[in-house]
Amino acid sequence: GENVEQHPSTLSVQEGDSAVIKCTYSDSASNYFPWYKQELGKGPQLIIDIRSNVGEKKDQRIAVTLNKTAKHFSLHITETQPEDSAVYFCAASKGSGGATNKLIFGTGTLLAVQP
Amino acid sequence: DVKVTQSSRYLVKRTGEKVFLECVQDMDHENMFWYRQDPGLGLRLIYFSYDVKMKEKGDIPEGYSVSREKKERFSLILESASTNQTSMYLCASSPQGRGNIQYFGAGTRLSVL
């Protein structure tokens, strides 16, 4: 079945620096790649997503890139702030709705932004 | 805003007890999911449901069952709790036909002693 690997498991950066989290997926039929942020004591929340017909997507300080050939995608956070500290999960899925609506999650990255 | 509510934030149960975890969503979503979250393992899908009274096994269904009698409510049942079911349990919902965006509850931390 589909497998998603995520690295690193922990990441510590200084406030203002950039952070990059990388994921690889195994199923070439995957076409939807969301990123979730989980703050302490809360459930994961979608922060950005990308579909396989797009190579890059940006939303203010966060961006996601997708390399379909290599089957990997990355989350980039620029100008990090202490409130960016959280656990980040990547995920992959194929299709939309119906029986293919499952997300396969990576193992998570604990990002710590040091003031 | 979409709201997914899990009935308990913390639960402590004893081995062998029957445990019910309840989840309610208020956005008329067709799809609902139960995950467990363990350090280093990420989120693993236990069961999901696409419609009332419909259920499908996820990746780790052993030791669990589910019930969906109403569209807004999805229950996870541990028939006989064991210590290896101590975990964080997350419920999620998503609308049909709008991609795979899932909305999560805050989670229930279950300890089985």
Side-chain angles (χ1 to χ4, degrees):
Chain A
E2 170 75 284
N3 183 52
V4 176
E5 293 189 1
Q6 182 171 349
H7 299 281
S9 57
T10 59
L11 179 60
S12 181
V13 300
Q14 291 296 123
E15 183 176 357
D17 287 350
S18 295
V20 181
I21 303 170
K22 299 182 179 182
C23 289
T24 60
Y25 60 98
S26 60
D27 190 340
S28 57
S30 294
N31 60 10
Y32 174 68
F33 308 92
W35 286 88
Y36 284 80
K37 175 184 181 182
Q38 185 178 27
E39 297 176 338
L40 194 62
K42 298 183 179 180
Q45 183 174 8
L46 179 72
I47 55 171
I48 194 167
D49 56 9
I50 192 168
R51 298 193 182 274
S52 58
N53 58 346
V54 175
E56 184 176 2
K57 184 177 179 180
K58 288 184 179 180
D59 183 4
Q60 300 182 359
R61 294 187 298 107
I62 60 173
V64 57
T65 58
L66 171 65
N67 183 327
K68 285 181 61 180
T69 302
K71 291 192 283 188
H72 66 70
F73 57 112
S74 300
L75 177 71
H76 304 253
I77 306 174
T78 59
E79 301 174 17
T80 53
Q81 301 168 5
E83 53 263 39
D84 294 328
S85 296
V87 178
Y88 291 81
F89 291 98
C90 63
S93 181
K94 49 189 177 184
S96 64
T100 55
N101 199 28
K102 292 194 298 181
L103 290 174
I104 306 300
F105 284 88
T107 51
T109 297
L110 175 61
L111 173 64
V113 180
Q114 308 298 331
Chain B
D1 281 349
V2 176
K3 191 164 186 181
V4 179
T5 303
Q6 295 185 230
S7 55
S8 303
R9 293 300 305 271
Y10 301 95
L11 273 179
V12 180
K13 297 292 181 180
R14 296 213 174 268
T15 303
E17 279 193 74
K18 189 170 186 176
V19 181
F20 293 86
L21 303 183
E22 306 287 347
C23 175
V24 177
Q25 50 96 2
D26 66 356
M27 286 301 292
D28 202 37
H29 286 172
E30 289 80 8
N31 306 318
M32 296 189 74
F33 307 82
W34 275 106
Y35 296 88
R36 64 177 282 175
Q37 180 179 6
D38 299 289
L41 297 178
L43 278 66
R44 293 181 292 166
L45 182 63
I46 304 171
Y47 267 97
F48 58 103
S49 169
Y50 294 125
D51 201 351
V52 176
K53 297 189 184 295
M54 179 276 176
K55 60 185 178 183
E56 287 197 27
K57 293 180 180 179
D59 300 317
I60 52 165
E62 296 79 18
Y64 304 94
S65 61
V66 291
S67 172
R68 193 165 182 201
E69 296 297 318
K70 294 184 178 181
K71 189 175 185 181
E72 67 270 18
R73 186 180 297 270
F74 192 35
S75 302
L76 180 69
I77 304 159
L78 287 65
E79 293 289 342
S80 177
S82 63
T83 54
N84 63 11
Q85 293 179 309
T86 291
S87 186
M88 170 69 84
Y89 289 89
L90 291 164
C91 174
S93 72
S94 72
Q96 199 79 304
R98 286 182 57 192
N100 305 61
I101 298 173
Q102 295 186 15
Y103 300 88
F104 284 83
T108 296
R109 184 164 294 282
L110 173 67
S111 296
V112 182
L113 306 178

